[in-house]
């Protein structure tokens, strides 16, 4: 019976991997042969119109996704959240910076609140389906360079026009490169925001990520984040913290279940019964997220992540009034006149906390308490709750502007090349005023800088099983889980009275044994004459 179960498990595992093989198979269509893609094309929207002549429903599907709307209803409050309006601790906010930030939007032309979200040709098919040689330029509102141009103007740097015909004819499935062109570089640069997502994953080694390893499983992002009608599951703004269901057959519909959780492939009892202590480890999985043990550190691929960002130090200039950057010994920027000072981290040990999938986000109109560090977002979860697990997170610290009279966080205009953007005039008064006006937020004109924090879940860069945390990582005087509420860990937590009683009892036993042994030795010859 045990052998039958074992072979059944292997059979199911093979079936689970079938969609991965199919996903990496060659396309059955040669797009270079399609008449609609012969061009000429003078703009991205013209390419999209050609794509839609065959993929008739693609734009309408895209327009229902968060990738397009950049907003969604908060499951906690019903308020609208999303990149469109939310504040963060990195580049702070999208409002008034759209033409720059929307280089990571899957559309063309979003530069202010007049953008038409209902126009199908504004969808950028090439952003996700190009196979190389396509780049949306920050500052061009989601467009690539259609002609040779100097950019930024006056910089002395030149861009070559994109060959839209070639790019359109060579489209293919999404890849780590296409997904990563935004998700690796969010927050202002490679690896800045997440800590477990950066360009090192494009050509990942087995040591860096067992799933994406080019010499191993070689997963693309869509192997886990399997889409249906362009809806991509597994968003970090709506996560599955605890999945108690068994592994599911990949490629089949499973209702509202998230196919991007660890359990969707590995099940809720992931440790094989042939492994020593498997049952005990599976019991740990009822309290710990899989990532807690299997991602011992993040930012492990040679790309540092930002652990701190101080905007209050931005604006320092050289003696001749020029902005400058300062680099550390490894060549990484730790100060930029435009952005302030940074704290970088590599091979960072996560912070651990209870999480049940709910995230509470601060709103632009939220009244803050500037006397302490302001949490821009908070992961929620009650210790020991059935729907909560102890998760690894990146804890990021920032310092950013706020209104000292209204006690609200402020979104400055920073990136648009004009006289009101901070990167071009280093004038906080102008940048904050225009940022407030553009976003429709009140501004008293009085501002200062307040310390903030954000948490980000760590769920990529899964290490080989040999590098998973051992028992002593937590069950020791120095414990990774020190400070996590609601848990008792043998080897770390102690009651001194109980320890004293236990050691005293052990001492009495040893003493009694010694006394007994001594008496037996001293009396061993007694009575032999009888």
């Amino acid at each position: 019976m045990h052998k039958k179960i074992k072979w059944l498990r292997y059979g199911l595992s093979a079936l689970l991997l079938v969609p991965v093989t199919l996903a990496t198979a060659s396309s059955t269509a040669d797009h270079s042969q399609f008449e609609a893609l012969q061009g000429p094309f003078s703009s991205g929207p013209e390419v999209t119109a050609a794509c839609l002549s065959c993929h008739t429903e693609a734009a309408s599907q895209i327009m229902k996704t968060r990738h397009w709307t950049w907003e969604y209803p908060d499951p906690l409050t019903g308020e609208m959240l999303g990149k469109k309006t939310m504040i963060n601790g990195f580049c702070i906010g999208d409002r008034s910076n759209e033409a720059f930030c929307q280089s990571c939007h899957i559309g063309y032309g979003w530069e202010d609140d007049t953008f038409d979200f209902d126009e199908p040709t504004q969808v950028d098919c090439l952003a996700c389906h190009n196979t190389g040689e396509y780049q949306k330029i920050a500052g061009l509102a989601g467009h690539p360079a259609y002609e040779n141009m100097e950019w930024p103007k006056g910089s002395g740097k030149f861009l070559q026009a994109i060959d839209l015909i070639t790019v359109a004819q060579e489209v293919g499935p999404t890849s780590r490169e296409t997904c990563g062109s935004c998700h690796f570089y969010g927050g202002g640069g490679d690896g800045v925001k997440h800590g477990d997502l950066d360009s090192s994953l494009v050509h990942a080694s087995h040591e860096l990520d067992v799933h994406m390893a080019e010499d191993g499983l070689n997963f693309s992002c869509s192997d886990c984040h399997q889409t249906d009608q362009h809806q991509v599951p597994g968003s970090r703004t709506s996560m599955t913290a605890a999945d108690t269901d068994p592994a599911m057959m990949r490629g089949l519909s499973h209702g509202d279940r998230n196919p991007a959780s660890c359990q969707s492939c590995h099940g809720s009892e992931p440790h094989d019964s042939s492994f020593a202590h498997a049952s005990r480890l599976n019991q740990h999985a009822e309290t710990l997220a899989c990532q807690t043990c299997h991602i011992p550190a993040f930012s492990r691929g040679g790309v540092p992540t930002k652990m701190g960002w101080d905007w209050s130090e931005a604006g320092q200039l050289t003696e001749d009034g020029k902005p400058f950057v300062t680099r550390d010994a490894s060549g990484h920027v730790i100060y930029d006149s435009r952005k302030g000072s940074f704290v970088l981290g590599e091979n960072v040990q996560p912070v651990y906390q209870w999480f049940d999938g709910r995230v509470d986000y601060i709103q632009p109109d939220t009244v803050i308490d500037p006397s302490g560090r302001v949490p821009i977002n908070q992961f929620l979860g009650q210790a020991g709750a059935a729907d909560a697990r102890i998760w690894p997170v990146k804890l990021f610290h920032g310092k950013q502007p706020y209104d000292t009279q209204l006690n609200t966080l402020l979104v400055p205009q920073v990136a648009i090349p004009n006289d009101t953007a901070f990167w071009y005039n280093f004038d906080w008064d102008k940048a904050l005023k225009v940022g407030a006006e553009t976003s429709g937020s009140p501004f008293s004109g009085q501002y200062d800088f307040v310390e903030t924090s954000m948490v980000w879940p760590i769920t990529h860069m899964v290490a080989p099983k040999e590098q998973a945390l051992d028992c002593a990582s937590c069950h020791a005087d120095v414990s990774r889980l020190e400070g996590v509420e609601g848990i008792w860990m043998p080897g770390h937590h102690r009651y001194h009275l109980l320890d004293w009683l236990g050691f005293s009892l052990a001492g009495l036993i040893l003493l009694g044994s010694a006394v007994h042994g001594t008496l037996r030795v001293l009396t061993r010859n007694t009575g032999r004459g009888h």
Side-chain angles (χ1 to χ4, degrees):
M1 179 62 72
H2 177 71
K3 290 184 177 180
K4 289 182 178 180
I5 294 174
K6 183 176 182 180
W7 282 110
L8 178 61
R9 181 184 294 119
Y10 289 159
L12 288 173
S13 299
L15 288 172
L16 290 172
L17 290 174
V18 166
V20 175
T21 304
L22 295 177
T24 56
S26 299
S27 172
T28 58
D30 180 358
H31 284 74
S32 68
Q33 303 301 310
F34 290 2
E35 182 178 353
L37 298 181
Q38 301 309 306
F41 301 117
S42 62
S43 69
E46 291 183 12
V47 176
T48 298
C51 296
L52 295 178
S53 66
C54 286
H55 302 278
T56 57
E57 306 307 306
S60 61
Q61 292 173 0
I62 285 289
M63 290 175 178
K64 297 181 178 69
T65 70
R66 297 180 188 179
H67 276 97
W68 175 255
T69 62
W70 276 22
E71 64 180 5
Y72 67 98
D74 185 351
L76 295 180
T77 65
E79 294 181 290
M80 295 306 293
L81 299 177
K83 289 183 173 65
K84 183 190 291 185
T85 56
M86 286 168 58
I87 292 175
N88 62 71
F90 300 93
C91 287
I92 301 181
D94 179 64
R95 290 290 181 90
S96 79
N97 298 294
E98 288 92 342
F100 184 88
C101 299
Q102 264 62 351
S103 61
C104 268
H105 182 246
I106 53 172
Y108 297 113
W110 184 1
E111 57 184 345
D112 54 35
D113 58 7
T114 64
F115 179 70
D116 188 356
F117 285 91
D118 297 319
E119 173 51 54
T121 60
Q122 298 292 85
V123 172
D124 183 358
C125 306
L126 302 178
C128 298
H129 293 286
N130 79 86
T131 57
E133 305 304 322
Y134 180 79
Q135 182 180 8
K136 292 158 75 78
I137 308 302
L140 297 184
H143 290 282
Y146 298 130
E147 58 185 18
N148 295 338
M149 58 188 298
E150 181 186 26
W151 191 259
K153 293 181 179 180
S155 67
K157 300 177 181 178
F158 292 86
L159 300 173
Q160 287 190 331
I162 195 76
D163 183 349
L164 290 173
I165 295 177
T166 299
V167 174
Q169 292 181 356
E170 295 180 354
V171 293
T174 61
S175 64
R176 288 187 294 233
E177 290 92 335
T178 55
C179 297
S181 65
C182 285
H183 291 285
F184 294 166
Y185 294 90
D190 192 2
V192 165
K193 183 188 296 182
H194 298 291
D196 63 342
L197 286 173
D198 60 50
S199 62
S200 66
L201 290 172
V202 172
H203 301 291
S205 66
H206 181 70
E207 293 294 308
L208 178 60
D209 189 290
V210 296
H211 299 112
M212 296 189 183
E214 289 187 317
D215 57 349
L217 295 174
N218 200 27
F219 279 14
S220 67
C221 304
S222 60
D223 286 323
C224 289
H225 299 273
Q226 291 190 350
T227 63
D228 181 18
Q229 299 185 29
H230 285 93
Q231 294 281 352
V232 182
S235 168
R236 292 178 179 233
T237 55
S238 181
M239 295 184 59
T240 301
D243 187 346
T244 58
D245 292 321
M248 63 185 183
M249 190 71 71
R250 309 296 279 178
L252 299 181
S253 174
H254 291 266
D256 294 332
R257 187 178 177 195
N258 177 14
S261 70
C262 299
Q263 291 83 356
S264 66
C265 274
H266 297 283
S268 55
E269 295 184 354
H271 302 96
D272 194 288
S273 58
S274 63
F275 181 70
H277 310 300
S279 61
R280 183 172 297 177
L281 292 176
N282 285 332
Q283 288 177 349
H284 278 61
E286 298 174 3
T287 302
L288 304 173
C290 301
Q291 295 89 332
T292 296
C293 291
H294 290 279
I295 309 179
F298 58 88
S299 190
R300 302 200 320 272
V303 178
T305 188
K306 281 188 172 60
M307 301 300 296
W309 185 330
D310 187 349
W311 277 95
S312 71
E313 296 188 2
Q316 299 178 34
L317 304 174
T318 63
E319 291 182 356
D320 56 354
K322 301 294 184 181
F324 66 95
V325 298
T326 302
R327 301 178 184 272
D328 63 16
S330 300
H332 303 304
V333 176
I334 56 176
Y335 179 81
D336 185 333
S337 294
R338 301 179 309 158
K339 300 180 179 182
S341 61
F342 312 124
V343 176
L344 307 180
E346 291 188 68
N347 294 304
V348 182
Q349 177 178 309
V351 173
Y352 301 93
Q353 67 172 91
W354 288 100
F355 182 40
D356 62 14
R358 297 175 300 142
V359 187
D360 185 19
Y361 290 94
I362 203 169
Q363 298 295 310
D365 60 352
T366 300
V367 176
I368 65 171
D369 178 6
S371 65
R373 191 175 292 278
V374 176
I376 294 179
N377 71 337
Q378 296 183 80
F379 281 17
L380 306 178
Q382 183 177 355
D387 60 350
R389 298 290 184 272
I390 297 174
W391 268 73
V393 300
K394 169 186 170 178
L395 177 60
F396 170 84
H397 287 162
K399 194 171 185 180
Q400 57 200 87
Y402 81 103
D403 191 308
T404 57
Q405 303 302 306
L406 302 176
N407 283 339
T408 54
L409 294 177
L410 296 169
V411 177
Q413 184 181 79
V414 296
I416 308 304
N418 55 39
D419 184 52
T420 57
F422 184 79
W423 291 358
Y424 297 90
N425 63 16
F426 301 101
D427 187 330
W428 280 116
D429 293 279
K430 289 183 178 180
L432 292 171
K433 180 181 179 182
V434 171
E437 291 174 350
T438 305
S439 62
S441 301
F443 177 43
S444 70
Q446 304 297 313
Y447 65 90
D448 200 347
F449 294 85
V450 64
E451 294 183 334
T452 60
S453 66
M454 293 194 78
V455 288
W456 296 88
I458 298 300
T459 192
H460 302 93
M461 296 187 177
V462 178
K465 61 183 180 181
E466 296 80 14
Q467 297 177 17
L469 299 185
D470 58 16
C471 301
S473 298
C474 298
H475 297 280
D477 288 336
V478 178
S479 170
R480 283 192 175 230
L481 300 186
E482 186 170 0
V484 177
E485 297 180 353
I487 57 175
W488 171 268
M489 290 182 294
H492 176 69
H493 292 108
R494 293 184 175 87
Y495 283 132
H496 294 293
L497 177 60
L498 186 61
D499 287 346
W500 183 84
L501 291 174
F503 284 122
S504 297
L505 180 60
L508 289 174
I509 293 173
L510 291 174
L511 179 61
S513 299
V515 171
H516 176 73
T518 300
L519 291 174
R520 289 293 300 269
V521 170
L522 294 176
T523 60
R524 65 184 183 278
N525 294 322
T526 303
R528 285 190 176 183
H530 297 283

